[in-house]
Each structure stands twice: as C-alpha cells, then as structure tokens.
Amino acid sequence: MSGAAPPASLTLYGYWRSSCTWRVRIALAHKGAPHAYRPVNLVRDGGEQLRDDYRAKNPMAQVPLLEFEDGGAVRRVAQSLAIIELLEEWFPAPPLLPPPGELYLRAKARQLAEMINSGTQPMQNTATLRCVKEELGGDERAFARRFITSGLAAFQAAAGELAGRFCVGDEVSLADVCLVPQLYNARRYEVDLAPFPTLTRIEAACLALPAFQAAHPDRQADAVAASA
C-alpha cells in the first residue's frame, strides 16, 4: 500500500465485550474514523471465531480484525495494537501517541499499553480461563484476579512518574485506550480496585470523553442483540 492516505472504507470485526476490540473502537471513535462493524460472537455455538470462514481471515481465530481494500486487493490486520498503530498512521490527528520528538514519552505510552496487552489481558482471556478450568481443574476466576491485580499494580507503579489527567500527561494516549477496558474486566472478576486510585481517577477522566462513551461495550449493537 503506497502513501499514508486511509482507505475509502474500513470494516472492524469484533465482539462487544472483547477488551481488545474495545481498544480499537476507542481509537476509531477518538479519531472520528468511519467504519463498518461486523460482530463475531465469541460464545455462540462454541465461538464464531473458530469457524473456517473466519479462520481464513484471521488464522489466530481472534478479534479484533480490521479489513480494508488496497488497490482492489483485500487487506487484513489483526492484533489490537497493530491496528491502532496503523490508524495512527492514517489518522494522525488527534493523536494517541505523544509528539514524534518525545521519544521517551512515546516509548512509555507503548510500554504501558503492552503491560496490559501482553502482560495482563492474555491471562484472563476466554481460551486461557477455559484451559485453567477444564484442563487443569483450577479456579479460573481466582487465576484471573491474581494476574489482573499484579498487572494493575505494576501499571500504576510504571505510570506514576508520568500520570497527569491521563496515563501519560494530560493527553489521551495508547496507554489509556488499554487501561479502561482492563479496569472493566477487573470489576467483572471482582478485583479490589481500592489500591489503584491513580488508575480509577484516570479511568473517570477517560469515561467523560465522547470517544470512550461511544466505544463502551453496553452501547454496541451486538450487546443490545445479546440482551434482547
């Protein structure tokens, strides 16, 4: 794909309560990027992400997945942070990373995002917890709480020197996009958030913004359908 111009149309495959999909929804809303949405139900009939037609699009059988056309060819990018970085290239304003000259702050925003993306969220996803319960005979909720608690503690410590209104100063960044869905999941697994006042304060500031409100799981079409 040549140039930095965004495609004429974007399609996001996702699930309303997937925290990884949620991150991409926040980024799309933050940047005002128009897109279509195709729900992939992760629980119906054993999980639609496991169907052959979806695996052909994403061999990892996960959401989110961003699809677009490039010169007549269909292109697909999976993994939430890779998608968000691509959106950052296509829609640089408003940004989700500190200015290009602020190399340390850009690296820290990515670090914080990865502390959740690779260090915390995988320990609570559906496949992991199913394995803990069904194959290992463990308490999957206790397992999730343990790793969410330790992940949030590390995140708060790492964010301490930089936190302003948001995780990295006073502008929304990739770190905030990852934090808000993780705190939602923490509550689902009954994690005590009292030790994390910096994080819940940042969360409140994020949730006051229209982009975060629009991306909330409860406002998604497939959430409405699931509750009907």
Side-chain angles (χ1 to χ4, degrees), residues 29-212:
H30 178 72
K31 293 177 176 296
H35 63 283
Y37 177 64
R38 293 192 182 179
V40 178
N41 194 305
L42 301 186
V43 296
R44 180 188 298 145
D45 299 327
E48 293 176 351
Q49 76 278 15
L50 302 176
R51 297 188 323 199
D52 289 344
D53 60 341
Y54 187 75
R55 281 186 183 274
K57 294 179 173 66
N58 182 4
M60 281 293 285
Q62 296 174 340
V63 293
L65 177 70
L66 190 70
E67 184 177 81
F68 55 95
E69 286 194 9
D70 172 20
V74 176
R75 307 294 192 195
R76 299 182 181 98
V77 177
Q79 302 299 326
S80 63
L81 295 193
I83 294 170
I84 294 170
E85 291 270 7
L86 180 58
L87 294 174
E88 187 77 355
E89 299 283 355
W90 281 335
F91 306 98
L96 281 171
L97 286 169
E102 298 285 357
L103 299 186
Y104 174 68
L105 295 182
R106 288 168 70 87
K108 292 297 287 187
R110 290 183 169 108
Q111 172 196 326
L112 291 169
E114 285 291 0
M115 290 175 74
I116 290 174
N117 180 58
S118 62
T120 307
Q121 189 277 330
M123 309 306 291
Q124 69 192 39
N125 69 21
T126 302
T128 300
L129 298 185
R130 184 181 295 124
C131 178
V132 169
K133 180 180 180 179
E134 297 179 2
E135 298 182 28
L136 303 179
D139 182 340
E140 76 277 18
R141 293 185 65 81
F143 180 91
R145 280 195 297 273
R146 172 186 174 185
F147 286 99
I148 294 170
T149 300
S150 62
L152 291 178
F155 188 103
Q156 181 166 262
E161 66 167 309
L162 302 172
R165 185 182 179 201
F166 301 107
C167 289
V168 182
D170 294 325
E171 301 295 334
V172 172
S173 76
L174 188 58
D176 305 290
V177 168
C178 291
L179 175 64
V180 168
Q182 182 55 70
L183 290 176
Y184 176 92
N185 280 346
R187 293 185 179 92
R188 284 185 62 206
Y189 290 103
E190 300 176 302
V191 172
D192 179 12
L193 296 181
F196 310 118
T198 300
L199 305 189
T200 54
R201 175 185 60 74
I202 291 170
E203 177 193 36
C206 290
L207 292 176
L209 301 176
F212 284 83

